[in-house]
Amino acid sequence: MDYTKDASEILAAVGGKDNVNSLMHCATRLRFSLKDDTKVDQAKLDAMDVVKGTFNANHQYQIIIGSGTVNIVCDEIQKLLGNSVTENEEEKPKKEKGHYLQRAIKLLSDIFVPIIPAIVAGGLLMGINNVLTAEGLFISGKSIIEAYPQMKDIATVINLFANAPFTFLPVLIGFSATKKFGGNPYLGAAMGMIMVHPDLLNAYSYGTGVDVPTWNIFGLTIEAVGYQGTVLPVLAVSFILASIEKKLHKVTPSWLDNLTTPLLSIIITGFLTFIVVGPVMRSAGTLLADGIIWLYNSLGFIGGGIFGLFYAPIVVTGLHHSFIAVETQLLAAIDTTGGSFIFVTASMSNVAQGAAVLAVLFITQNKKMKSLCSASGISALLGITEPAMFGVNLKLRYPFYAAMIGSCVGSAFLAFHKVLAVALGAAGLPGFISIKPKDWGYFAIGLVLSMGVSFILTFVFSKKFGEEDSAAVYAPMAGTVKPVTESSDSTFSSKMMGDGVVIFPTDGMVYAPFSGTVSMLFPTKHAIGLKSDSGIEMMIHVGIDTVKLDGKPFEAYVKQGDSVKKGQKLLKADLKQIEDAGCSTETMCIITSGQTFIPDDASKVRPGMRLLECGNANA
């Protein structure tokens, strides 16, 4: 369908080409930045069939066109404007907020959340395999598959399924991280494949006494070692790859870009991976392992507690994989060392992370988060913590700190009683099979301490440090909630202004539904626009036709441009005065930024109760 005429009429109605500073579009709306809003011919826009509605919010004049049409109309207007001011807001990178640590944690969370299902599946399958192969767990002196040999192949297949996500973890991370860094995710996956290629020495074998294969490139000796199970090296490689690719896109002629950019990106990143990233990360791992052995041997239970405190942050970097070589040496010389303290500490840390996640399961009202907590919490208790750490604990921060302290307490207790592992296994609840039976009691107490402290502190920290869910919108008023389609005002019930809910209030006090800024306050104070810190835009319109009351029933506690916190007083409406004037008190809560949302189950709400869960901002 041709929208040339519509585009011309819209441009004329907003004051013409000379009145437009910039234009962009989201999924459903044109967003104009105008020099003078008073030049808009509202009546002309209202009369156009292609225009589904208009409103002015956040210094933008927004015209609702509809999904699938808005981009075509925007392109036509862009042709008339004759410059390149248009941007697709969905693809425009957003500047991250917060200090560098918050940004780093959010970055890790964004990278790992998409791959969590694969890791959770692998972790749970690994737990099943441990149950089948653990000696003495159910049958004295035997594992289940030893007692029932016909189940051996079942365990073998399950083990293969369980190990795959971890063996090829760099492929998953490479895809997700490169996409996050702005590169081609398939090149990131290819780089991950290179890092775990079977021709390389498996990373778990490095430092265990095996011969390390090398390449000789023009006299430069390079170790041919893989990166199985690593995290930080893959993140570094993904960043390098994406940076090189983006630079090449800018300088390569378009007729060569598709041919040479992928080639050069892979070959340059590949050499940097094995020449720089590998040696640096492995050297750092060796130094860290040597320091931890000294710490444990010199400071006893204090050293054990310190190691337990920082074990989870070490896991975040991926440097814990360097401990495999140390553990192998400790177990090889078990007659003199007594066993491995690293496995014991890892078990305390893993169950602490799991317990913190399960505490979040009880704390949070976010249904999506609850689902994630149940799966990742069980996985962590069985020894696989990445889903718990990156999907929940690091994202919220306070449960991660609680788990660190829980791990510290449990590890210090076991170090005091000199509990050591005599074999490798799943570091978590199944860890009993790697501990001498005489120490099972101490190990159980350590698990209880780690889990109990983490669980309790997560609740404590949530009260003091817990942050509101960035996707949630909380009830601004007390009353009965219904879909906006049940509003008696056709402008709102037709969703012309956007989707949302209507509250039939029992109290006239209006509170902030999230933390953010006041983007708009009508002079009559009957309506207020807000934008959350995460990008959700919302309009609260108190009453129907209350604009004609000239602000008399309303009192405002904020002004346009103010920053507000969730639950802060915004407005006060005299509901009786509104009703006496013959107006309805129905209050519309409209999501004007276009997100999809899931309404909460409650039909009656009070201020601060969860009202909606929104999708991605600007979707």
Side-chain angles (χ1 to χ4, degrees), residues 176-198:
S176 185
T178 304
K179 181 179 180 180
K180 180 64 179 176
F181 291 132
N184 186 319
Y186 296 97
L187 288 180
M191 200 61 236
M193 295 173 195
I194 291 171
M195 297 174 75
V196 293
H197 196 283

Side-chain angles (χ1 to χ4, degrees), residues 501-562:
V501 297
V502 57
I503 297 177
F504 296 85
T506 55
D507 184 271
M509 192 65 72
V510 181
Y511 300 88
F514 43 61
S515 297
T517 56
V518 178
S519 57
M520 170 195 67
L521 178 63
F522 273 72
T524 53
K525 296 172 283 191
H526 74 289
I528 186 170
L530 303 161
K531 183 173 183 178
S532 77
D533 293 336
S534 61
I536 300 170
E537 295 175 24
M538 184 177 186
M539 181 178 69
I540 302 173
H541 190 288
V542 184
I544 294 175
D545 293 331
T546 45
V547 63
K548 68 183 183 183
L549 302 181
D550 200 27
K552 292 177 183 178
F554 301 98
E555 180 181 356
Y557 300 102
V558 294
K559 62 182 181 299
Q560 187 165 319
D562 282 357

